[in-house]
Amino acid sequence: STQSTWVLCLVIFMCKRIRIAVDIIGLASRVVAGVPSLLVVPFVSLALFLLVTAGGLYLLALIGTSQTIATTAVDVPSIPGLPEFANVTGTIFQDHRAKGYMQLVVLFGYLWAAAFFAAFCFMVVAFTAVLWYFSTPGDDKHVPVGAVLYSVGCVLRYHLGTLAFGSLVIAIIRFCRFWVARLEKQLRQAAGGTAAFIASCAGCCLACFERVLKFVNRNIYIITSIEGTNFCRSAAHALRLLVSNILRVGAVNLLSDAVLFFVKLLV
């Protein structure tokens, strides 16, 4: 059929890219086989995410239930036969004026911390893969014992600024997405069709921009792990590589996802 012919032509045309994608997946599997302790990193990342989420929810609950105590005068009506009461005061609870701002600060801190720990775990994996690849020449790689712990120490000692800046950019974009989603909800409730549609388009653009930034950040962390440069130099190098090989990078990423999908179906 026509569709089968197009698929066959596409496979033949992308044969080299498919081979590169398969080689990348095979190399990644060799890294995991050579350093089995890398399998612990995703569980550590999940534990850190749950810890940050629990801490953020706890702080939001504390701020949400916090109130100030104020006194106010109470008018007591006079009752015949009973003495009159004067200067009677009562206690009332009022919301703090800065409660909303404090909740926004906690929300932004949570987004920043979540992005930071995710970037930290990714860079530990990238640094360990670099240690494995450059450990010995040739195909027979020998990584020293404790490579993951060594990577954790190097990342903590030398690259926290890179992680903090990269995660800050992601946190700002996610915070803007939160405000746009909130604005869109308010506009839909106010029956603002055009304005709500514009807000929805802005949220979609921010989501795409976040995906691009996350992809670029991952490449920046990889360059930093290889060369040991700061965020700005790594970003310049990563962008040059991506722009000069944009078609190859896009094709390899898409084909890698497709190969992994078909492997999962076979398994």
Side-chain angles (χ1 to χ4, degrees):
S1 61
T2 307
Q3 295 180 351
S4 301
T5 304
W6 279 107
V7 171
L8 181 60
C9 293
L10 182 62
V11 170
I12 295 174
F13 179 74
M14 302 293 290
C15 184
K16 185 177 179 180
R17 301 291 183 267
I18 294 174
R19 191 181 301 113
I20 295 175
V22 172
D23 291 340
I24 291 175
I25 296 173
L27 190 62
S29 63
R30 289 181 57 195
V31 174
V32 176
V35 192
S37 53
L38 277 177
L39 297 174
V40 182
V41 177
F43 297 99
V44 175
S45 177
L46 178 61
L48 291 174
F49 174 76
L50 294 177
L51 182 63
V52 170
T53 302
L57 292 176
Y58 178 71
L59 291 177
L60 288 176
L62 285 181
I63 296 173
T65 57
S66 63
Q67 291 180 325
T68 57
I69 301 176
T71 57
T72 182
V74 178
D75 295 330
V76 179
S78 59
I79 301 176
L82 294 177
E84 295 184 359
F85 296 93
N87 299 326
V88 179
T89 59
T91 301
I92 60 174
F93 295 92
Q94 297 177 343
D95 289 336
H96 200 278
R97 295 180 179 178
K99 179 185 290 189
Y101 298 103
M102 294 171 65
Q103 289 176 335
L104 291 177
V105 170
V106 171
L107 175 62
F108 183 79
Y110 164 74
L111 295 175
W112 193 359
F116 176 83
F117 285 121
F120 175 79
C121 293
F122 179 85
M123 194 167 186
V124 168
V125 174
F127 205 96
T128 306
V130 170
L131 289 178
W132 176 86
Y133 188 81
F134 293 103
S135 59
T136 54
D139 295 332
D140 190 13
K141 306 293 184 181
H142 297 285
V143 180
V145 179
V148 176
L149 293 179
Y150 178 77
S151 300
V152 171
C154 289
V155 172
L156 288 175
R157 185 175 181 180
Y158 300 109
H159 302 300
L160 285 182
T162 297
L163 297 177
F165 190 81
S167 57
L168 174 63
V169 175
I170 298 298
I172 292 174
I173 297 300
R174 289 178 176 174
F175 193 70
C176 293
R177 287 185 61 191
F178 166 78
W179 276 107
V180 171
R182 186 176 179 180
L183 177 63
E184 180 186 356
K185 183 179 179 180
Q186 293 176 353
L187 291 174
R188 291 190 183 278
Q189 292 176 351
T194 305
F197 176 74
I198 295 175
S200 178
C201 293
C204 182
C205 293
L206 285 175
C208 296
F209 188 51
E210 180 187 349
R211 289 177 178 270
V212 172
L213 283 180
K214 289 173 66 176
F215 177 75
V216 173
N217 272 358
R218 287 196 293 267
N219 287 273
I220 291 173
Y221 300 147
I222 293 172
I223 296 295
T224 301
S225 301
I226 297 173
E227 300 182 353
T229 52
N230 57 28
F231 183 89
C232 294
R233 291 186 179 181
S234 300
H237 192 179
L239 288 176
R240 283 197 302 268
L241 290 176
L242 291 175
V243 171
S244 59
N245 300 277
I246 187 168
L247 295 178
R248 181 178 300 175
V249 171
V252 169
N253 276 278
L254 291 176
L255 291 173
S256 299
D257 294 338
V259 170
L260 289 175
F261 175 75
F262 286 115
V263 169
K264 291 178 181 178
L265 289 181
L266 293 177
V267 172

